[in-house]
Amino acid sequence: MSRAVRPAIASGRRERSGWRTHPAGENVRGGGRIRPAGAFGLARAFGLVMASGWHNVSMHVRDFSEDELLGLIRPHLPRAEGIEVPSGDDCAVIGLAAGNVAVSTDMLVEGSHYLPEWSTGYDVGWRAAMQNAADAAAMGARPVSFVAALSVPGDREVEWLVEFARGMGDAARRVGAGVDGGDLTRGPATAGVTVVGDLSGRPPILRSGARPGDRLIHCGVLGWSAAGLHFLRSGAVAPECASVLPAKGERSAAPNGRAPDGAEAVVAVYKRPNPPVALALAACAAGRIGALMDVSDGLVRDARRMAEASNVGIDIDPAAIKCDVDGLVRVGVRRELAEGMVLSGGEDHGFLATTSNSVPEGWRQIGFVRELGPGGEREAGGFVTYGGRNVPKVTGWDHFRAERV
């Protein structure tokens, strides 16, 4: 969770759209009040302006009513499979398989998680959906539906909001999910997204399932997002160079140690993460996984969470991740920084798991699980070592101890 953001508006009205909308005040441009054109009328007008190339025309969120804004974004948002009552009533209703569902929420706060100079509305929408999809898959649940609570400044160009919807909608389609309602208000730029995941009658996969003797396995990338942030901060890569997402299947979500194609590839992972959801779900469905979690706060920090939940020791093999370090060095990261990015960089959204079986397809072994041994910290409910050496507990990303965009 990120730092708390005080709501900009405390009260509002319920629209029968599946979204809660809040008063935005009068729409004023050039000193005069705009006559409402209706949601679809303004949607068409906006589309014509964008298509004509009149990008010097300034259209801001404050120039539209809530209904008009919803009319602009709804066409970009898919419905969940099995939807029984879509947006239009006070709640959407989704038909799921018998058993439990998985629910998780994540936030993106402008200035804390991203900067508008680096990330487009599409980037933020994509990222907001994908980080939640990874959380659902980390429990063995198929992402089914997203619900978004979005606060947007009144002076933000409305194109940003439309692009947010496009990015979120495309990410939802990528994982086979829908976007089925939410909350829209005017205020500081903040996106809170909730995912509903279907466990399909299977028990959830927990981070407490690691056992001594298990293999420690991983799928996805390590350190790429941190490297991408590094390149953006240093100015080595222009933000727009990584703004085009490859077509489905063009870029593997789990290169597993393969070197990035270039600096732009790691910036793309920071801006638009591509978690290997299908690989995680396939391994869970096959009964191959003991413990599982999304790597969002760094490999060592999340491995420690797994170790503490399972009351075991976890040893990460330096030789197994050397290729990840070498790959970052190859695209321009100094070696002394690259190892830290692989071990501690967050927001890659790969998956860390344990298995007592052979390594599932698309995964690789990066260490092993061991029993707690006598002596100091190793008796305190779980520990992590790197090549047999203790790793400090502070290693990794913590939302309340640092500022990271």
Side-chain angles (χ1 to χ4, degrees):
M1 298 290 292
S2 354
R3 65 174 183 263
V5 178
R6 183 173 57 86
I9 299 176
S11 63
R13 65 182 181 273
R14 170 76 71 178
E15 302 290 348
R16 298 192 67 79
S17 60
W19 293 75
R20 180 185 293 275
T21 54
H22 294 274
E26 289 194 348
N27 295 322
V28 178
R29 183 192 294 155
R33 195 176 191 280
I34 298 172
R35 178 173 298 179
F40 296 105
L42 268 178
R44 284 195 295 270
F46 177 78
L48 288 172
V49 168
M50 293 298 106
S52 68
W54 298 350
H55 297 296
N56 60 327
V57 176
S58 180
M59 303 177 75
H60 298 96
V61 168
R62 63 172 174 259
D63 297 328
F64 293 77
S65 72
E66 292 84 15
D67 285 345
E68 290 162 351
L69 291 172
L70 293 176
L72 291 172
I73 67 177
R74 272 202 207 96
H76 303 288
L77 303 175
R79 290 180 179 178
E81 179 184 342
I83 192 83
E84 294 184 0
V85 179
S87 291
D89 273 87
D90 291 314
C91 291
V93 178
I94 306 168
L96 300 177
N100 296 329
V101 297
V103 179
S104 182
T105 297
D106 239 325
M107 295 180 69
L108 288 177
V109 178
E110 189 168 287
S112 179
H113 299 99
Y114 69 92
L115 293 178
E117 306 93 277
W118 295 347
S119 296
T120 65
Y122 190 102
D123 296 333
V124 179
W126 176 280
R127 185 174 167 190
M130 279 301 189
Q131 64 186 19
N132 279 275
D135 282 336
M139 301 293 288
R142 176 178 63 88
V144 171
S145 179
F146 298 102
V147 178
L150 182 62
S151 172
V152 187
D155 60 358
R156 183 64 48 92
E157 290 189 1
V158 75
E159 185 179 6
W160 188 97
L161 179 62
V162 174
E163 286 299 297
F164 177 95
R166 284 188 59 244
M168 189 173 183
D170 286 350
R173 291 183 187 93
R174 179 68 67 94
V175 298
V179 183
D180 299 294
D183 187 20
L184 180 63
T185 189
R186 192 169 76 179
T190 306
V193 175
T194 298
V195 64
V196 176
D198 186 359
L199 286 161
S200 301
R202 297 188 301 268
I205 309 297
L206 308 180
R207 59 181 67 174
S208 58
R211 298 293 179 264
D214 284 354
R215 304 172 191 265
L216 182 70
I217 59 176
H218 179 270
C219 69
V221 299
L222 287 171
W224 288 30
S225 181
L229 175 61
H230 169 75
F231 285 134
L232 287 171
R233 279 177 167 165
S234 67
V237 175
E240 59 271 17
C241 290
S243 290
V244 179
L245 190 78
K248 186 174 182 179
E250 187 177 332
R251 184 182 76 208
S252 169
N256 287 336
R258 190 193 71 223
D261 296 331
E264 293 83 2
V266 297
V267 173
V269 168
Y270 166 76
K271 295 175 68 175
R272 301 183 189 176
N274 193 22
V277 169
L279 288 176
L281 295 180
C284 292
R288 307 283 294 279
I289 301 299
L292 177 63
M293 65 183 300
D294 160 45
V295 181
S296 56
D297 294 330
L299 176 61
V300 170
R301 191 178 192 89
D302 288 327
R304 187 180 302 279
R305 289 168 172 157
M306 182 179 287
E308 291 175 348
S310 300
N311 199 35
V312 296
I314 287 179
D315 186 66
I316 299 169
D317 182 4
I321 63 170
K322 182 178 183 299
C323 53
D324 301 272
V325 177
D326 291 345
L328 295 185
V329 171
R330 201 166 297 137
V331 297
V333 179
R334 297 199 309 272
R335 184 167 293 277
E336 61 269 25
L337 296 177
E339 187 174 39
M341 290 175 180
V342 170
L343 291 174
S344 306
E347 298 181 342
D348 286 318
H349 298 294
F351 295 99
L352 184 67
T354 65
T355 182
S356 59
N357 303 301
S358 58
V359 178
E361 182 178 357
W363 296 68
R364 57 174 170 149
Q365 182 172 353
I366 62 168
F368 63 92
V369 182
R370 53 191 292 186
E371 292 183 353
L372 294 177
E377 183 182 341
R378 297 190 180 190
E379 295 178 330
F383 65 90
V384 173
T385 55
Y386 180 56
R389 303 190 310 273
N390 283 336
V391 180
K393 277 193 173 183
V394 294
T395 303
W397 168 247
D398 187 317
H399 291 276
F400 293 94
R401 291 184 180 274
E403 290 296 318
R404 181 181 194 261
V405 293

